[in-house]
C-alpha cells in the first residue's frame, strides 16, 4: 500500500506556513498586476478609445476568470480537505473531475467568443469605433482562452497541495511573456507586424498557454499528492456536485462583479467615455493592491480547508487571524499610495487633462473603502474553505447589486460624476457589517465544533 507522509499544512507553525504558502502567490500576483497595468499602458498609447475598448471588455474577461477560479475554489477546498482526512481516492477524483469541468468551461467561452462579443459591446452602449476595437480584442481573448483554463486548472492542483512556489513560477513566467510580447505585437517591433489592439490580446493568450503547459509539467513531475489519470475516466456526479456546491457561490460572486461593471459602465458613459476609461484604469491600478490579497487568500484557503478536514481548530483560527492582519496592512498601504500620488498613477496611462480631472478625485474617494474590503475578502474566502461559500455569494450580491449599483445611479442624478464614486464606500461598509455577522454565525455553528 502506498505510504503518504503528513502534509506540511498540518504540522508547520501557522504563521510560518501562511507566509511560506502565501508569499510566492503574492509575488506572482504582483507580477500579474504589473502585467495588467503595463498592458493598459501600451494600449493607451494607441488611443483613449482603445483604452476604453479594453475597459469595456473587462466584465466578460472577469466572467471567464470567475468560471475558472470558482471551479478552482471547489476543487481546492475538496482536495485539501480530503488530504487532511487522508482520503487519497477522493483527492485524485477531485483533480480529474475538476480538469473535466475546466475543459467544459473553455467550450462555453469559445462559443461566446465566436457569437456574442458584438452584442456584448452593444449592450454597454459603446460608440461604433470603440465597439470595433473591442470586438477585435475580446473575440481573440475568448476564442483562444484554452490557455487560461489550462493554467488555472493545473495551478490550482499545485496550490491545493501546498506547492505555491511552483504556481509562482508559472504565473510569473506567463506574465513576463505578456509584458515582453505586448509592445512587440502592438507596435510591430523586431520585424513583427503592428497588430494594434489585437496584438495585446495575442500577447495575453500566448503567455497563458505557456504558463498552462508549465503547470501541467510541474504537476506530472512534482505533485506527488495527486495522481491524475483519465484512463477509463467517467465524470463522477457526486464529486462534480461537491465541487460545484462549493465553487458556484464563488463563481456567481465574481459573475455579479461582471454585472456590476456593466452597470457602472452604462452609468458612467452617460457622463463621457473618459469616465468609463477612468473606471477601467481604476480596476487596473487597484489590482496592484488587491492581487496580493488574493495571493494571500490562495495561500490561506488550502490551509484552512486542510485543518478543517484534520480537525485542527486552533490552527484554522490562527490562519484566519493572521490573514486578516496582513490584509489590513496591505490595504492601508494602498490607501496611502492612492491618496498621495493619484495624478502620477493616471499619467502612466497617457491621461489627458480631462481624464485627470475625473480620475484624481475618483481614486482618492474609492480607496477609502480598501481596508473594509480587505477584511471582507479574507473572511469570504474562509467561508468558502469551510464549505459554505453561499455566505460569500450573498454578501457579494448585496454589496454590488443591491447597494453599489443603485447608490451609484442615485448619486449620478446629482449631475456630478465625483459623487458616483462614493457608492463604493457605502457598499463596503454594508458588506463589512454583513461579513462580520456571518462569521459570528459560522463560528458558533461550525468552527467551535471542529475537533470535538
Amino acid at each position: 500500500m502506498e505510504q503518504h507522509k503528513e502534509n506540511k499544512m498540518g504540522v508547520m507553525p501557522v504563521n510560518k506556513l501562511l507566509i511560506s504558502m502565501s508569499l510566492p502567490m503574492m509575488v506572482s500576483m504582483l507580477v500579474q498586476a504589473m502585467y495588467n497595468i503595463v498592458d493598459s499602458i501600451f494600449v493607451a498609447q494607441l488611443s483613449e478609445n482603445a483604452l476604453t475598448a479594453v475597459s469595456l471588455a473587462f466584465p466578460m474577461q472577469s466572467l471567464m476568470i470567475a468560471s475558472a477560479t470558482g471551479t478552482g475554489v471547489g476543487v481546492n477546498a475538496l482536495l485539501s480537505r480530503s488530504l487532511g482526512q487522508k482520503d487519497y481516492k477522493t483527492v485524485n477524483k477531485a483533480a480529474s473531475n475538476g480538469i473535466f469541468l475546466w475543459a467544459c468551461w473553455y467550450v462555453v467561452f469559445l462559443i461566446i467568443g465566436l457569437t456574442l462579443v458584438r452584442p456584448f459591446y452593444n449592450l454597454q452602449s459603446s460608440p461604433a469605433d470603440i465597439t470595433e476595437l473591442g470586438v477585435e480584442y475580446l473575440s481573440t481573448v475568448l476564442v483562444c482562452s484554452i490557455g487560461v483554463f489550462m493554467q488555472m486548472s493545473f495551478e490550482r492542483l499545485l496550490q491545493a497541495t501546498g506547492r505555491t512556489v511552483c504556481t509562482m513560477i508559472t504565473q510569473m513566467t506567463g506574465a513576463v511573456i505578456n509584458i515582453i510580447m505586448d509592445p512587440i505585437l502592438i507596435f510591430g517591433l523586431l520585424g513583427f507586424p503592428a497588430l494594434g489592439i489585437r496584438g495585446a490580446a495575442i500577447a495575453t493568450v500566448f503567455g497563458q498557454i505557456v504558463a498552462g503547459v508549465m503547470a501541467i509539467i510541474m504537476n506530472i513531475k512534482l505533485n506527488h499528492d495527486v495522481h491524475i489519470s483519465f484512463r477509463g475516466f467517467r465524470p463522477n456526479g457526486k464529486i462534480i456536485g461537491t465541487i460545484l456546491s462549493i465553487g458556484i457561490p464563488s463563481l456567481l460572486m465574481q459573475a455579479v462583479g461582471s454585472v456590476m461593471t456593466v452597470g457602472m459602465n452604462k452609468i458612467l458613459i452617460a457622463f463621457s467615455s473618459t469616465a468609463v476609461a477612468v473606471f477601467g484604469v481604476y480596476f487596473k491600478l487597484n489590482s496592484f493592491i488587491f492581487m496580493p490579497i488574493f495571493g494571500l487568500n490562495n495561500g490561506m484557503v488550502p490551509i484552512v480547508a486542510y485543518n478543517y478536514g484534520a480537525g485542527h481548530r486552533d490552527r484554522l483560527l490562527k490562519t484566519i487571524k493572521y490573514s486578516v492582519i496582513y490584509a489590513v496592512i496591505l490595504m492601508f498601504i494602498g490607501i496611502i499610495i492612492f491618496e498621495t500620488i493619484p495624478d502620477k498613477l493616471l499619467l502612466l496611462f497617457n491621461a489627458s487633462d480631462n481624464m485627470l480631472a475625473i480620475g484624481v478625485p475618483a481614486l482618492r474617494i474609492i480607496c477609502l473603502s480598501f481596508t473594509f474590503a480587505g477584511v471582507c475578502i479574507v473572511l469570504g474566502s474562509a467561508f468558502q474553505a469551510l464549505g459554505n461559500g453561499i455566505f460569500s455569494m450573498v454578501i457579494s450580491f448585496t454589496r454590488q447589486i443591491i447597494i453599489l449599483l443603485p447608490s451609484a445611479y442615485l448619486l449620478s442624478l446629482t449631475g456630478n460624476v465625483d459623487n458616483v464614486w462614493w457608492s463604493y464606500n457605502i457598499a463596503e461598509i454594508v458588506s463589512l457589517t454583513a461579513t462580520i455577522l456571518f462569521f459570528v454565525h459560522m463560528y458558533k455553528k461550525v468552527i467551535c465544533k471542529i475537533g470535538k
Side-chain angles (χ1 to χ4, degrees):
M1 181 176 178
E2 185 178 4
Q3 296 296 313
H4 294 266
K5 65 180 181 179
E6 179 73 19
N7 190 284
K8 66 180 180 180
M9 291 185 288
V11 294
M12 186 183 290
V14 171
N15 195 34
K16 180 180 178 182
L17 174 65
L18 179 63
I19 292 173
S20 69
M21 289 189 59
S22 297
L23 195 58
M25 297 307 306
M26 292 168 73
V27 171
S28 62
M29 289 289 191
L30 270 174
V31 175
Q32 292 275 5
M34 182 65 72
Y35 159 69
N36 288 338
I37 291 173
V38 171
D39 184 52
S40 291
I41 288 173
F42 286 131
V43 170
Q45 303 307 310
L46 295 171
S47 67
E48 188 175 294
N49 279 352
L51 181 61
T52 303
V54 172
S55 299
L56 290 170
F58 180 79
M60 185 61 74
Q61 288 180 281
S62 180
L63 183 62
M64 179 177 67
I65 299 298
S67 304
T69 55
T71 303
V73 167
V75 173
N76 258 18
L78 176 59
L79 200 155
S80 298
R81 190 165 70 216
S82 300
L83 272 179
Q85 296 167 339
K86 308 295 187 290
D87 182 1
Y88 300 106
K89 184 177 180 181
T90 301
V91 167
N92 297 331
K93 286 184 177 180
S96 58
N97 282 274
I99 293 168
F100 169 75
L101 285 173
W102 276 304
C104 293
W105 279 122
Y106 167 63
V107 174
V108 170
F109 283 93
L110 170 64
I111 295 170
I112 292 173
L114 293 172
T115 60
L116 297 178
V117 173
R118 188 174 297 277
F120 170 72
Y121 272 87
N122 292 335
L123 176 67
Q124 298 181 87
S125 306
S126 60
D129 51 348
I130 293 176
T131 294
E132 292 306 316
L133 288 168
V135 170
E136 190 176 349
Y137 175 81
L138 186 56
S139 60
T140 303
V141 169
L142 295 181
V143 169
C144 302
S145 62
I146 186 169
V148 74
F149 288 103
M150 285 169 51
Q151 181 180 356
M152 287 280 186
S153 58
F154 288 93
E155 283 179 353
R156 287 290 177 164
L157 300 184
L158 293 166
Q159 289 173 20
T161 57
R163 293 170 174 84
T164 53
V165 172
C166 293
T167 58
M168 178 185 73
I169 294 170
T170 58
Q171 290 186 356
M172 289 182 68
T173 301
V176 169
I177 288 173
N178 287 339
I179 291 171
I180 293 171
M181 295 300 294
D182 255 334
I184 293 173
L185 296 180
I186 291 173
F187 305 116
L189 306 180
L190 303 178
F192 283 82
L195 299 176
I197 198 169
R198 189 183 296 276
I202 294 172
T204 296
V205 298
F206 182 69
Q208 291 166 346
I209 290 171
V210 172
V213 171
M214 288 180 64
I216 291 172
I217 294 171
M218 287 183 174
N219 270 282
I220 295 171
K221 299 291 187 182
L222 303 174
N223 197 350
H224 307 302
D225 288 309
V226 178
H227 300 280
I228 304 168
S229 175
F230 287 96
R231 182 176 297 175
F233 171 79
R234 298 180 69 178
N236 185 306
K238 183 178 179 181
I239 295 292
I240 289 176
T242 302
I243 291 171
L244 293 178
S245 68
I246 300 170
I248 280 181
S250 176
L251 190 160
L252 293 176
M253 184 170 62
Q254 294 182 69
V256 163
S258 296
V259 174
M260 180 277 293
T261 306
V262 170
M264 284 293 287
N265 284 338
K266 288 185 72 69
I267 291 169
L268 293 170
I269 209 163
F271 289 94
S272 67
S273 62
T274 301
V276 175
V278 166
F279 189 53
V281 166
Y282 160 71
F283 269 110
K284 299 291 184 179
L285 290 171
N286 90 359
S287 70
F288 199 74
I289 308 301
F290 280 72
M291 281 293 195
I293 307 294
F294 297 141
L296 175 68
N297 277 0
N298 286 340
M300 178 197 75
V301 166
I303 300 173
V304 171
Y306 183 97
N307 287 285
Y308 178 35
H312 299 155
R313 180 178 56 190
D314 289 345
R315 291 178 62 81
L316 183 152
L317 286 172
K318 284 182 180 178
T319 302
I320 296 173
K321 181 183 76 172
Y322 286 129
S323 298
V324 169
I325 292 171
Y326 294 141
V328 169
I329 292 171
L330 289 169
M331 286 300 195
F332 187 69
I333 293 171
I335 292 174
I336 293 173
I337 294 171
F338 273 54
E339 288 290 347
T340 54
I341 55 169
D343 52 338
K344 293 179 176 60
L345 295 175
L346 289 164
L347 285 171
L348 292 172
F349 300 87
N350 203 29
S352 62
D353 290 341
N354 189 30
M355 182 178 282
L356 286 171
I358 296 173
V360 168
L363 296 188
R364 284 181 168 157
I365 291 169
I366 297 175
C367 77
L368 298 174
S369 66
F370 282 2
T371 303
F372 305 140
V375 177
C376 293
I377 290 169
V378 170
L379 294 184
S381 294
F383 296 152
Q384 294 164 9
L386 293 167
N388 203 329
I390 190 71
F391 287 169
S392 301
M393 183 183 71
V394 170
I395 292 167
S396 181
F397 184 82
T398 300
R399 171 186 170 273
Q400 299 186 84
I401 303 301
I402 297 179
I403 305 298
L404 180 59
L405 274 183
S407 61
Y409 173 71
L410 291 174
L411 290 168
S412 74
L413 298 179
T414 65
N416 186 347
V417 70
D418 291 350
N419 293 334
V420 174
W421 313 120
W422 286 103
S423 59
Y424 267 87
N425 294 282
I426 296 169
E428 290 296 355
I429 291 171
V430 174
S431 177
L432 179 63
T433 303
T435 299
I436 291 173
L437 291 174
F438 277 133
F439 184 77
V440 170
H441 173 82
M442 197 77 176
Y443 181 84
K444 291 178 180 178
K445 295 294 184 180
V446 178
I447 296 175
C448 71
K449 297 178 182 179
I450 294 173
K452 290 186 178 180

